[in-house]
Every structure is written in structure tokens, then in C-alpha cells.
Amino acid sequence: MKYAFVVIATMLMSVSVSAQNWADPAHYLLDSLDLNTVGQQDSVLLDGALEQYHAAKHDTTRLRVLLNFSENCQDDKLWIRYTKLAGQMIEQQKGEERSPLVQEVYNRFESRCFSNSGYFEQAYGNTTTALDYYFKALKIAETLEETSALSTVLINIGGTYFFLEDFEGALEYFDRAYGLVEQGDDIDKLSLVINNIAVIYAELDKNHEALRYYKIALDVCESQGNDFGKAM
């Protein structure tokens, strides 16, 4: 079985090498990007993003374009490279004089870079590195008046602790997220948080609390006609 996989991998590698289509780094902003490895949907998305990037007159617009692409691209090996590029741009410009309003915009972008990088590392099982990125994102997000971004970081940290089977830690961050999302109008996120709290209580053998939160989640979803949350 191992040999068969080695043979298949070798064959695929030889095909891909013979059909490489290297992107122009000046336009695509990356070295060694083989366009033949980019899916059709991501390719359309990338072309549109790059058109906006090169037409932009300000780095804040360029950063927004890069991060929006990263958060909508399906290929994690591709979007993480553009997230890292955005992070490098932010790092290189630190120390520049800016108005408080513009600095806040940069802070928002940096928090998104850290959060996206944490998501990538978590997806590949690198939970320690993921938490390091998430806590960097959290430190910035806590200084911003944007509850949606903050709640997302808290959810990601809680989810990471859950997979580490640190259920008390997971509960702490999901509780914090709950306190934020219950004030907003994102019903999908609210039902996600409440259901996850219920699951955590079940893992802690606190079944009464688990059932209570499942009931809250069901009531929330039924009041909004939200079938997604009811099916969780």
C-alpha cells in the first residue's frame, strides 16, 4: 500500500512539473506561484482582487483587498500566502506617523492577519502556534470597538481549547463570546456559540446545564426561523 501511494505521488509530480505555469511576481505579488494549481473559482476571485490591488492608491485599500481575498479563497495553501503578505506590509510600515483613525484601520487589519494565520495553523494541527496567533489577534481586537471581530477570535480560541480537551478553558472563551454575540443580530453565530457551550457542558458531565443551553439555542433559532441552528 505504501509503495502504491509513492508511485502515484511520483506520477502526479511528474505531470505537474511538466505543466507548470508560473505567475508573474510583479502582478501576482508572490514568487513561485503555479497558476495551474489555482482552482477556477479561486482564479476568478484572485484576478478580481489583483485588479483592485493594483488600481488602489492607498495601502489601506491594498490590505483590505488582500485580506478579503484570503477570507474568501478556498485554497488554504494559497490564501495563507496573501495573508502573510498583508502581515509583512503592516510590519514594514510600523512606526509611520498616522492619525488615530488610520492607525485603528491598520490595527484591524493586523488582528485579521493574526486570526487568519491562527485558523490556518489550527487546520493543520499546530494548536500551540494557532493559539499564539489567536492571542495576538485578541490583544489587538480588545482595543477595537468591533464586537464581531472580537467574538470571532474568542470563538476560535474556545474551539482550539476544546480540541485540546481543555473544556474549562473552552467554556471561558465561549462564555465571553456569548456575552458579545447575544447583543448583535448574527443569529447563526449566536446559535453556534450557544450550541458549543452546551456541548462543552456535556463534556464536563454537567448535563443539566447542557440541556439548558440546547433549549436556549433552540428557542433562539425558532424565534428567527433559523433551520441551520436547529439542525446543529
Side-chain angles (χ1 to χ4, degrees), residues 13 31 43 62 89 99 112 141 163 173 188-189 209 213:
M13 185 180 297
D31 292 322
S43 180
R62 297 184 185 99
M89 290 173 61
S99 69
R112 286 169 66 182
F163 286 112
Y173 287 94
D188 286 345
K189 183 183 280 190
E209 285 297 297
Y213 275 95

Side-chain angles (χ1 to χ4, degrees), residues 21 26 39 43 61 64 66-67 86 89 106 121-122 125 132 142 145 162 175 182-183 213 227:
N21 179 18
S43 180
T61 305
R64 176 181 54 78
L66 291 178
L67 288 171
M89 290 173 61
Y106 274 88
E121 295 296 341
Q122 184 179 354
D132 183 52
E142 287 176 328
E145 295 181 3
F162 181 86
D175 271 341
E182 69 176 341
Q183 302 171 24
Y213 275 95
D227 293 330

Side-chain angles (χ1 to χ4, degrees), residues 71-121:
E71 291 161 6
N72 288 283
C73 175
Q74 299 299 309
D75 185 346
D76 51 5
K77 295 291 182 66
L78 177 60
W79 67 252
I80 190 60
R81 295 186 69 185
Y82 283 99
T83 290
K84 297 294 186 186
L85 176 61
Q88 290 167 10
M89 290 173 61
I90 293 169
E91 188 65 29
Q92 290 167 0
Q93 296 177 27
K94 281 188 175 178
E96 292 185 2
E97 281 195 29
R98 303 188 181 108
S99 69
L101 183 61
V102 173
Q103 184 58 54
E104 183 175 322
V105 172
Y106 274 88
N107 290 345
R108 291 176 191 273
F109 289 148
E110 186 171 30
S111 181
R112 286 169 66 182
C113 285
F114 285 139
S115 186
N116 291 347
S117 296
Y119 181 88
F120 177 84
E121 295 296 341

